[in-house]
Amino acid sequence: MDDPALLAGHVRDGLQPRILPIATDPAGLPLAAARNRGIDSVFAAGCDVVIALDVDCLVSPDLVADYHRLVSNAPETVWQGPVTYLPPPPAGGYPLAALDAFDDPHPARPRLNRSETRRGASPELFWSLSFALSRESWRRSGGFCEEYVGYGGEDTDFGQILRAEGIDLGWTGDARAYHQHHPVSRPPVEHLDDILRNADIYRRRWGSWPMQGWLDEFERRGLIVRENGAWTRTSSQAGVLGRQRR
């Protein structure tokens, strides 16, 4: 997404990544459109299973094999594996051969034992940090809604698309991934404009508000106000948010 440093590509262990450039939107990073382009290209190249990972994720040695087995055996289900949010890395970086020592999946998702699976997951819990799906499920879904630009909303929307199209969403205790540590804001005030814009798109499409916890916290802090059934930013906070973005 407008990252010229990546366009030359980097060979690692004899593998040459395929780079698919996509222009950014003036409103922010086109995350949904970029995911669609990447996944479409992989299926067009002849693959039967796509594994999607957040750019910050490290993977367990069995993640690819685990996801391939699950999707091959149940291609009508979109599968999600557990993700551990790692602490800050020790000196010398994370020990890639011993990531199991950090294994502590995110508590907001079901905690399953290895080899355990669960279907019928709530669409509100879909997240794009780590998931895998078949060509047919991707075709039926139509992909992520590209109206979403910038931070927030497109994952929950995709979960609703899966439900609307009758595509199952499942959890597995296998296919474990590890999200590298980086600072975050709680709530993510630097993304407030993106969240308000994308939340309104979601409400128009599905009739309810996503990211409700963040919206409630923004309101509590006096950053947004509910007017005529919609959320708007309070004008007194414009300067504060501008300084935080810089």
Side-chain angles (χ1 to χ4, degrees), residues 32-33 35-36 76 78 121-127 131 133 136-148 153-169 201-202 204-208:
R35 291 192 188 115
N36 286 347
E76 72 285 354
V78 175
S122 169
E124 288 79 14
L125 291 182
F126 174 81
W127 57 356
F131 71 97
L133 78 174
E136 177 60 20
S137 289
W138 179 248
R139 184 195 64 78
R140 286 176 56 194
S141 76
F144 288 83
C145 173
E146 296 187 7
E147 291 185 61
Y148 294 90
E154 79 283 354
D155 280 6
T156 311
D157 187 282
F158 188 68
Q160 295 291 359
I161 290 173
L162 296 180
R163 176 161 62 182
E165 296 299 327
I167 301 169
D168 190 24
L169 183 60
I201 293 170
Y202 184 96
R204 172 171 52 79
R205 283 170 55 80
W206 304 107
S208 62

Side-chain angles (χ1 to χ4, degrees), residues 94-119:
Y94 297 110
L96 300 184
L99 288 174
D100 278 356
F102 295 95
D103 196 69
D104 185 20
H106 195 285
R109 266 55 181 178
R111 184 176 287 269
L112 303 183
N113 296 322
R114 295 180 189 273
S115 301
E116 185 180 0
T117 59
R118 184 181 302 172
R119 301 194 193 191

Side-chain angles (χ1 to χ4, degrees), residues 15-131:
L15 298 176
Q16 175 70 50
R18 183 182 180 195
I19 308 297
L20 300 174
I22 184 171
T24 55
D25 187 287
L29 293 177
L31 300 170
R35 291 192 188 115
N36 286 347
R37 183 168 185 182
I39 294 174
D40 283 342
S41 73
V42 175
F43 283 127
C47 292
D48 297 316
V49 175
V50 161
I51 298 168
L53 291 166
D54 188 269
V55 67
D56 296 322
C57 280
L58 305 171
V59 302
S60 61
D62 298 326
L63 180 141
V64 172
D66 289 342
Y67 268 144
H68 183 265
R69 182 187 69 254
L70 286 160
V71 176
S72 297
N73 291 336
E76 72 285 354
T77 298
V78 175
W79 290 100
Q80 300 181 99
V83 178
T84 292
Y85 275 68
L86 294 170
Y94 297 110
L96 300 184
L99 288 174
D100 278 356
F102 295 95
D103 196 69
D104 185 20
H106 195 285
R109 266 55 181 178
R111 184 176 287 269
L112 303 183
N113 296 322
R114 295 180 189 273
S115 301
E116 185 180 0
T117 59
R118 184 181 302 172
R119 301 194 193 191
S122 169
E124 288 79 14
L125 291 182
F126 174 81
W127 57 356
S128 60
L129 269 76
S130 176
F131 71 97

